[in-house]
Amino acid sequence: MNRNKIFGAVALTTLAMTLAACNNKENAGGGAGSTLVIQESADIPTLDPGTTYDTASGQVVENLYETLVGYKGNSLTELAPVLATEWTGNDAGTEYRFTLREGVKFHSGNDFTCADAEYTLRRNLVTNTADSGNWFIAESLLGTPANANDDKSITWQRITDAVKCDGNVLVLKLPKTDPAFLAKLAYIGQGIVDSKHATEIGEWDGTEATWKEAVGKDLAGSPLSQKPSGTGAYKLVGRDASSVSATAFDGYWGEQKPSIKNVVIQKIPEQAARIQAFLKGDADFIEEGGRSIISSQLQGKPGVSVLDDLPNTTAAGFSMNENIAKGGALGSGKLDGQGIPANFFSDADVRRGFVAAFDVPTYIEQVQEGKGAPRNFLLPDSFPGYDTNIEAAAFDPEVARAAFQRAWDGQVWENGFSVNVSYRAGSVTQQTAMELLKKNIESLNPKFKLNIVAKEWSELIKSDNAPKEAMILSAWAPDYADPDNFVTTFYASTGYYGPRLNVKDTQMDALITEARTTTDQAKRDDLYAQIAKRGLDQAYYVVMPASPNVFTYRDNIGGVGESTYNPMIAFWAGTYWKNLTKS
């Protein structure tokens, strides 16, 4: 879920080459005819907003679709109208009424109406798979993060009572107050779908007669993912394993019309090829590979601009799976030096050994070039609830050695282990972190083996694949600006990353439940401090340090800057494609 991303250096898709040729020859002056070229290492799992829950997909979906409300400028908390022109809530905070914008067209040519907003939110409540962010909207509107397969109390009546139209006004009813509800609606997963188009191409028809057939349905490769139709400033032109291309939507309603005509996202796994294309001006944005690459290979080069010291609202850590699912990479499946048992990480001393073996200061110095600081908790330090007075876990080989010597009554130290740790293929920073951990773990005992495995992003984020991973770097960018979005995600047994830990900590769960239902900020802060301390004591994650965001772009790209940068937007420039210019 980071700002993640086979092309050879020359072999582009026909469409990409066509657009690039158009840009270079016919539209050399830029403007409405130019092409924005983005190169990344990751694949794009889906273009269906109903299951978009990663930034690789989100950066495309947020430009094809629009939500009822959005963030105002670079603010994390102020909301602005998008497809809703205004909204009101009752005193209890349990009912909201949204007046919807008129004169808006979908890419299909269909008119946007309240029926589309109603269909979208009902579809999200009905499908609500483990691979989507619909759990948090379901929690607000239905009082449970589950779908009807997992919670039999969910009925069609409950869904329709929660989401319904009153003329051109969308009425949303909540079972209890949720202070973060409006911010949740700004998440692109609530992007409004063209309901007529969706049903025509084979999506759920939105009726009571068929709703149970759609419960929990996997939407990653859905008809809507293949043929999206939103109200966004760009519409899809084509998509294959190597690229996604979009073009400006002529019927876009917004005052800010796209200046750049075409956008192409190319999957280029080879970092050197991305850098070469960027320096030649053949790519406008690339996944560079981290701060050290920017400073050593890109900064100061002709045509290159760098934007640094930007707000970082992500958190990341190595999760350690306490009950690896059948089919996972266990090697021998025994604590014999040739593998690990499925419950290897259920011993807290094993986890403590890994935590103490990760050299955070060296990572900050080598990867982040001295910028950033250790974190005591998987919560951005800019968020409420982060207690700077709590000391972060320290790198200490002797502490790690002692922990491993205690683990499993001495068997870990005596027999050794061989364990796999997975990372997103193409991510240099993740690979570097794992190599640093590998070096330190293996230096403690020659019987310790850490095997680094690169995997495709789409494979790693699948809910049925994650439980099979022994260790995986779990990163999170916020869906909405509230600490619970991180804390529940990382630490709750029912959280999105629960399958990566496979632990039931009743004390932790109780603290999290109390914190998310408490309106007293001081009390809430104290609860989050207790959660942070519990997380440190139990060593659930190897917590990665904070790092200011930095990225590069070609200097003929306008609309990029600190004043326009909003970290809640998935595209790493922190703004929408429609706001960019190319000269």
Side-chain angles (χ1 to χ4, degrees):
M1 297 189 48
N2 291 358
R3 303 189 185 280
N4 305 310
K5 309 332 131 224
I6 264 176
F7 263 75
V10 180
L12 307 180
T13 64
T14 301
L15 178 59
M17 289 191 293
T18 301
L19 291 176
C22 177
N23 177 42
N24 293 335
K25 296 177 182 179
E26 298 178 17
N27 301 289
S34 59
T35 299
L36 184 74
V37 179
I38 302 164
Q39 292 187 351
E40 306 170 343
S41 67
D43 55 348
I44 294 173
T46 187
L47 295 182
D48 188 332
T51 196
T52 294
Y53 211 28
D54 67 285
T55 51
S57 300
Q59 64 167 318
V60 183
V61 174
E62 69 188 4
N63 288 286
L64 305 182
Y65 288 88
E66 293 176 309
T67 49
L68 297 173
V69 301
Y71 290 95
K72 185 176 182 180
N74 62 3
S75 173
L76 297 182
T77 55
E78 290 185 80
L79 298 174
V82 186
L83 291 180
T85 57
E86 59 183 5
W87 54 90
T88 58
N90 64 4
D91 291 340
T94 56
E95 180 176 306
Y96 290 85
R97 297 177 64 87
F98 296 83
T99 301
L100 303 184
R101 193 175 298 279
E102 297 181 350
V104 175
K105 294 281 189 182
F106 285 104
H107 300 159
S108 66
N110 293 331
D111 292 324
F112 161 64
T113 68
C114 187
D116 300 301
E118 181 185 78
Y119 171 86
T120 297
L121 293 178
R122 288 181 178 179
R123 179 176 183 257
N124 288 351
L125 295 177
V126 167
T127 55
N128 190 15
T129 72
D131 295 317
S132 77
N134 290 324
W135 65 270
F136 61 80
I137 199 69
E139 196 168 47
S140 296
L141 291 171
L142 301 178
T144 172
N147 63 31
N149 286 338
D150 298 325
D151 186 338
K152 301 303 181 183
S153 71
I154 298 175
T155 62
W156 177 248
Q157 190 66 50
R158 281 180 65 184
I159 291 172
T160 56
D161 284 347
V163 182
K164 62 176 57 177
C165 288
D166 180 6
N168 198 40
V169 174
L170 180 69
V171 183
L172 303 179
K173 293 185 178 181
L174 289 64
K176 61 182 179 181
T177 303
D178 180 359
F181 179 61
L182 287 173
K184 290 178 179 181
L185 293 178
Y187 180 65
I188 192 54
Q190 312 309 324
I192 303 303
V193 167
D194 182 345
S195 60
K196 290 181 181 178
H197 168 78
T199 55
E200 286 172 0
I201 63 174
E203 294 290 354
W204 172 55
D205 64 8
T207 68
E208 180 178 7
T210 60
W211 81 280
K212 285 196 173 180
E213 299 171 17
V215 174
K217 187 176 181 180
D218 183 2
L219 301 178
S222 68
L224 204 58
S225 178
Q226 305 304 317
K227 298 180 180 179
S229 174
T231 63
Y234 285 85
K235 64 180 182 179
L236 183 70
V237 173
R239 177 190 180 200
D240 59 28
S242 299
S243 70
V244 171
S245 56
T247 192
F249 176 39
D250 291 338
Y252 182 59
W253 64 271
E255 292 183 8
Q256 179 65 55
K257 308 294 184 185
S259 172
I260 299 176
K261 178 68 174 176
N262 302 305
V263 179
V264 179
I265 300 177
Q266 301 167 349
K267 179 185 175 184
I268 311 284
E270 301 86 1
Q271 182 189 60
R274 296 195 302 270
I275 291 174
Q276 182 182 32
F278 183 64
L279 291 175
K280 289 172 60 180
D282 292 338
D284 302 302
F285 292 90
I286 62 166
E287 181 184 355
E288 307 97 342
R291 182 178 293 277
S292 62
I293 300 298
I294 291 175
S295 62
S296 64
Q297 300 186 43
L298 299 174
Q299 193 161 18
K301 295 296 178 66
V304 175
S305 291
V306 179
L307 195 60
D308 199 354
D309 297 317
L310 297 165
N312 185 329
T313 55
T314 64
F318 295 102
S319 55
M320 291 172 276
N321 192 341
E322 297 191 27
N323 188 16
I324 301 165
K326 185 177 181 180
L330 298 173
S332 65
K334 301 176 183 179
L335 197 55
D336 58 2
Q338 305 303 311
I340 54 170
N343 62 345
F344 177 66
F345 286 110
S346 65
D347 187 318
D349 279 321
V350 172
R351 303 193 301 271
R352 290 172 184 138
F354 274 87
V355 169
F358 185 64
D359 191 347
V360 172
T362 295
Y363 183 86
I364 291 175
E365 186 63 32
Q366 292 184 357
V367 178
Q368 301 180 180
E369 298 191 333
K371 295 203 173 191
R375 277 181 174 157
N376 58 45
F377 194 23
L378 284 173
L379 176 71
D381 37 338
S382 59
F383 268 49
Y386 187 92
D387 189 343
T388 57
N389 295 315
I390 299 174
E391 189 172 347
F395 167 60
D396 192 326
E398 292 309 310
V399 169
R401 188 188 309 275
F404 282 126
Q405 288 172 342
R406 293 191 302 268
W408 290 102
D409 296 324
Q411 292 182 68
V412 168
W413 191 259
E414 181 179 348
N415 299 333
F417 58 79
S418 177
V419 63
N420 289 357
V421 56
S422 301
Y423 77 100
R424 177 174 62 80
S427 174
V428 177
T429 54
Q430 290 187 23
Q431 182 180 0
T432 302
M434 291 179 179
E435 288 173 346
L436 187 61
L437 182 62
K438 174 182 173 69
K439 175 185 175 183
N440 294 335
I441 289 288
E442 294 183 351
S443 68
L444 294 171
N445 187 328
K447 298 178 182 178
F448 291 178
K449 299 298 178 187
L450 198 65
N451 312 306
I452 301 173
V453 183
K455 294 187 177 181
E456 285 294 336
W457 176 234
S458 55
E459 181 183 359
L460 286 177
I461 65 172
K462 288 287 290 182
S463 61
D464 56 348
N465 287 339
K468 300 174 185 177
E469 296 289 346
M471 290 187 72
I472 184 174
L473 188 69
S474 299
W476 193 256
D479 307 315
Y480 50 94
D482 188 274
D484 179 65
N485 190 223
F486 285 89
V487 177
T488 292
T489 298
F490 280 112
Y491 295 98
S493 60
T494 57
Y496 184 73
Y497 284 153
R500 301 187 182 195
L501 291 181
N502 273 321
V503 61
K504 180 70 174 179
D505 185 332
T506 55
Q507 180 179 338
M508 182 73 89
D509 284 344
L511 289 169
I512 292 171
T513 299
E514 186 177 359
R516 70 194 319 212
T517 55
T518 300
T519 55
D520 184 302
Q521 191 59 52
K523 185 176 180 181
R524 208 171 183 223
D525 289 347
D526 179 66
L527 288 166
Y528 284 127
Q530 293 182 54
I531 294 168
K533 291 174 183 176
R534 176 72 178 171
L536 283 169
D537 177 67
Q538 293 300 305
Y540 287 129
Y541 290 93
V542 177
V543 178
M544 299 296 288
S547 174
N549 279 341
V550 58
F551 66 89
T552 59
Y553 60 101
R554 294 293 301 181
D555 62 7
N556 60 333
I557 300 296
V560 178
E562 186 176 349
S563 64
T564 61
Y565 181 83
N566 191 314
M568 301 302 293
I569 295 174
F571 181 45
W572 63 74
T575 190
Y576 299 108
W577 298 340
K578 68 179 181 180
N579 297 327
L580 301 176
T581 62
K582 184 173 181 178
S583 60

